[in-house]
Amino acid sequence: MLEKLFKLSEHQTTLKQEVLAGFTTFLTMAYIIFVNPDILAKAGMDKGAVFAATCIAAAVGCFVMGLLANYPIALAPGMGLNAFFTFSVVGDMGYSWETALGAVFLSGCCFLILSLVRIREWIVNSIPMSLRMGIAAGIGLFLALIGLRNAGIVVDNSATLVGMGDLQAFPVAMSALGFFLIVAFVQRGYKAAVIMSILTITLLGVLFGGVEYNGIVSAPPSLAPTFMAMDLSGVLNISMISVVFAFLFVDLFDTSGTLVAVAHRAGLLEEDGRLPRLKRALTADSIATMAGAALGTSTTTSYIESTAGVSAGGRTGLTAVVVGLLFLAALFISPLTDLVQPYATAGTLFYVAILMMSSLLHVEWDDLTETAPMVIAALVMPFTYSIANGIALGFISYAIIKLLCGRFKDLNIGIIVIALLFLGKILFM
């Protein structure tokens, strides 16, 4: 049955190899079962329900990717998008988390349509590389700011907006130690570096930080507080267009980049560089996003951490299925989420930020018409606490700068339309 479903021999792999790869991938991305509930709880969502939704949404995404597309790519609620959900859509814009879930669901529907009608390539190709890299870096800076705030290193200051916190405080020390441990573990080649750091800091919190220990294993928490709680009617507000677009845009490019990167590492690309079964892979990602919204979590997307499993020998969808099974097994360790304090995950946010900031290496810094809009997009996100604002001003500034510099040929219909839509929203809404 496994041979028929996943074509193991054709991909020169074995059951043992795929299972090992699945465990490897899971260990590199298991941090999300602690980080995601912590972030979405700040939006007013039930932490236990979000934990369950995170595990189940990840499992659904992995199963669909493995069985439908036969790729060793795992999925889970995405970092950055969960922060945008909580701190921008709910916190800054004032929408309810139910409406935000509706926006996630609608973005998943749009993603599915784009995948089925095959205009995804046109959209991706119409967006300049500099803006893509700037948006990725901006999300990284956004996560870094959240991590520093959760750590207590950055605090409110009435005179300067932000200031330095008490560096002698226990949470600050633990956050810093957690980040240093991640860097050390990664540098030493440990695949589970992030989860190892989170668990180490959590243990220190129990021993010295006054965190109450209530066990590790229990029955899965109820999904009832978030299941099918999304408000689709609230998304019909025209002001939500930019929110839905932001969810869609980030997921679209994140997924496309991840699929190509993992497939290239696994040697699954065709001779012309194309990805076979791309339509199925994108469909799997969009289905996972819609399922996740229905369950009660932010956008579910493909994880670049899948490259760890590929490096361990994963070549087929069986790897993803194994990851999905492990996420379901993780449902029974929900008490751990109560032990994991914000300072235990603050280092993780900062580490992910560093990974996302590395996209700036691929920018042509000698062309100011490319770098200026990129920097605007990247800096506006953390300074306005909104990914959507960064995307909007990045597109608008790109179009205006190119026009003023006489670089009309650098603009295409996609850039112009998106820039005008964002400009119209700013001027008339």
Side-chain angles (χ1 to χ4, degrees), residues 88-276:
S88 294
V89 181
V90 177
D92 182 52
M93 300 180 189
Y95 293 105
S96 67
W97 60 264
E98 292 90 346
T99 301
L101 284 179
V104 172
F105 183 84
L106 183 58
S107 71
C109 294
C110 294
F111 196 169
L112 179 61
I113 294 172
L114 294 178
S115 302
L116 294 177
V117 299
R118 295 186 177 183
I119 62 174
R120 181 201 64 86
E121 289 83 359
W122 176 80
I123 295 177
V124 172
N125 293 331
S126 67
I127 310 302
M129 182 63 70
S130 59
L131 273 184
R132 296 189 222 172
M133 298 300 101
I135 290 169
I139 294 174
L141 290 171
F142 186 46
L143 288 176
L145 180 58
I146 294 170
L148 291 171
R149 194 189 73 168
N150 287 350
I153 297 174
V154 171
V155 296
D156 293 334
N157 186 299
S158 58
T160 59
L161 296 182
V162 294
M164 183 77 78
D166 180 7
L167 298 185
Q168 297 181 1
F170 182 80
V172 173
M174 289 297 98
S175 299
L177 177 60
F179 172 70
F180 294 148
L181 286 176
I182 291 175
V183 174
F185 289 150
V186 170
Q187 197 65 23
R188 291 175 176 273
Y190 293 106
K191 301 295 184 183
V194 176
I195 194 67
M196 288 168 62
S197 170
I198 291 175
L199 294 178
T200 300
I201 300 303
T202 297
L203 177 60
L204 293 175
V206 172
L207 294 176
F208 306 108
V211 179
E212 184 178 354
Y213 175 76
N214 293 312
I216 295 177
V217 179
S218 73
S222 173
L223 265 176
T226 59
F227 182 68
M228 294 301 293
M230 54 189 179
D231 178 15
L232 294 176
S233 62
V235 188
L236 300 179
N237 189 323
I238 194 169
S239 63
M240 286 293 289
I241 292 178
S242 63
V243 174
V244 174
F245 180 79
F247 279 127
L248 173 63
F249 184 90
V250 177
D251 189 23
L252 182 65
F253 285 98
D254 188 34
T255 299
S256 301
T258 298
L259 289 174
V260 173
V262 177
H264 175 71
R265 185 69 174 268
L268 299 175
L269 293 178
E270 295 178 345
E271 292 184 2
D272 58 358
R274 292 181 176 272
L275 188 67

Side-chain angles (χ1 to χ4, degrees), residues 5 9 38 43 49 60 81 103 107 132 147 149 151 203 230 240 279 282 317 324 369 426:
L5 282 174
S9 58
D38 182 60
V60 170
L81 287 165
S107 71
R132 296 189 222 172
R149 194 189 73 168
L203 177 60
M230 54 189 179
M240 286 293 289
K279 183 177 179 181
L282 294 173
T369 66
I426 291 175

Side-chain angles (χ1 to χ4, degrees), residues 61-77:
C62 291
F63 292 153
V64 177
M65 180 65 76
L67 296 172
L68 180 64
N70 196 24
Y71 278 123
I73 297 173
L75 296 88

Side-chain angles (χ1 to χ4, degrees), residues 337-361:
T337 59
D338 295 326
L339 296 178
V340 178
Q341 301 300 303
Y343 58 74
T345 59
T348 302
L349 295 175
F350 208 74
Y351 169 66
V352 174
I354 292 174
L355 297 182
M356 300 189 76
M357 289 285 292
S358 65
S359 63
L360 295 179
L361 292 171

Side-chain angles (χ1 to χ4, degrees), residues 48-49 51-53 55-56 217-223 327-335:
F51 171 83
C55 293
I56 298 174
V217 179
S218 73
S222 173
L223 265 176
F327 270 112
L328 291 182
L331 282 168
F332 296 92
I333 59 170
S334 60

